[in-house]
Amino acid sequence: MSQPNSVAKPDTVPPTAAADERLTTEEGRKDFWRATLSCWLGTAMEYADFALYGLAAGIIFGDVFFPEASPSMALLSSFATWSVGFIARPIGALFFGWLGDRRGRKIVMVSTIILMGVSTTLIGLIPSYASIDLWAPACLVILRFTQGFGAGAELSGGTVMLGEYAPAQRRGLVSSIIALGSNSGTLVASLVWLAVVQMDQQSLQEWGWRIPFLCSSLIALVALWIRRHLRETPVFERQKQALQQQRSQVKSTPATTDNRGFWQRSRAFLVMVGLRIGENGPSYLAQGFIIGYVVKVLAVDKSVATTAVFIASLLGFLIIPLAGWLSDRFGRRITYRCFCLLLILYAFPAFMLLDSREPAVVIATIVTGMGLASLGIFGVQAAWGVELFGVTHRYTKMATAKELGSILSGGTAPLVAAALLSWTGHWWPIATYFAAMAAIGLMTTFVAPETRGRDLNDPDDAI
């Protein structure tokens, strides 16, 4: 198969030339930093939502929304509602991705931050099961769906925007800021929960758990205010001109051309799905299921798990940019491959160490898992995902592929793990499941192209 980059095109702009040129002006630098801060806050909002829910599902939601179930079934039910948000994400990715490719990145980023902010705030206002019976978990499911619908395009939108702004030689480092945003959201969530879990059990169950969800609205408001003043990326501005020319010739151009191009070129799409499974599944097991396992099954104090998430989030400010820099220095493939291999080696020893119930050992084990799965590998994936796709369908393809990979791994991982635990009563099937998803990511790196420094103005996918 011919490689799209092997033949020079006379009308092709040199790699990220438009982005580099804009960054030489004062106004361009302001646009870049505004976009960077906006993407950081938006991703922080998304991951604060999901980290809040993951911690709440593991620590308190079983008591609030499923009080009549056994501990294992309450954990299973809590993570079942968690998975609903992931079912909505591919739908949101497809809709908002299409909108972002046709109308621009800004309109999507404003819409998604509003949708996520409102949904998360309303979760904090749901009455308990004791007050409205089955309507309580029903409301939780509905709001998780709308939250996931918006989140399905938020992460990819920020990733595309930063990747299209960044200079080619530093794209891995700059794009990793998206992962820093996710890390910031996790840090905020763990900080708030670390304070909240100090309450007595009755106060925590009656109203304390609502505080983190209500406070997340502040991040959404700040991000929304900044995004009102965003400019489109130089790559999309160039693409917008091409779209306008297409629309002016719409009568002479078949309406199915764009859609046919989307579905026919699917290898890069499938590669992104595989890479996402290798990252997202282990990530949500490390920062979602393992938290619930430690608290509910091993009966370790709640503060131990939240302390571990807090420490991992602090270390993320070093791990994430280091991973992005390594991908700029040595390439996307080899860096990603190393993280996947380390995750495979981590899986079984991790659960052995957790069974010790020693606070220091448990904290170190959770921190290591999050450092590999939720921080390092994610920092590499950001730039690689942007570079895999051509500008024509970049947002739609990347967002949909990521969310499809997410629903096949991260969205269902805590639910599958909880079910395995309930059926077998042991951790070894969960460790096997953890290692299997990391292995999928590892194998995908052997069929994925090296894209470091690719021209993002290219209309074709990297494969």
Side-chain angles (χ1 to χ4, degrees), residues 318-381:
L318 297 175
I319 297 172
I320 290 169
L322 174 62
W325 178 82
L326 287 172
S327 75
D328 281 333
R329 179 70 177 82
F330 300 105
R332 318 296 186 216
R333 284 200 303 183
I334 188 64
T335 311
Y336 208 91
R337 190 175 298 163
C338 288
F339 276 111
C340 289
L341 181 60
L342 289 172
L343 283 170
I344 295 171
L345 297 175
Y346 165 86
F348 284 88
F351 283 91
M352 295 178 188
L353 292 170
L354 290 174
D355 274 354
S356 71
R357 293 178 171 84
E358 289 291 331
V361 175
V362 170
I363 289 173
T365 303
I366 295 175
V367 167
T368 302
M370 289 186 62
L372 294 173
S374 304
L375 303 171
I377 194 172
F378 194 23
V380 183
Q381 188 188 96

Side-chain angles (χ1 to χ4, degrees), residues 93-94 97-99 101 262 269 393-401:
L94 198 58
W98 171 84
L99 187 64
D101 279 331
F262 181 97
F269 183 92
H393 297 294
R394 175 172 293 133
Y395 198 160
T396 311
K397 281 188 174 183
M398 190 177 78
T400 307

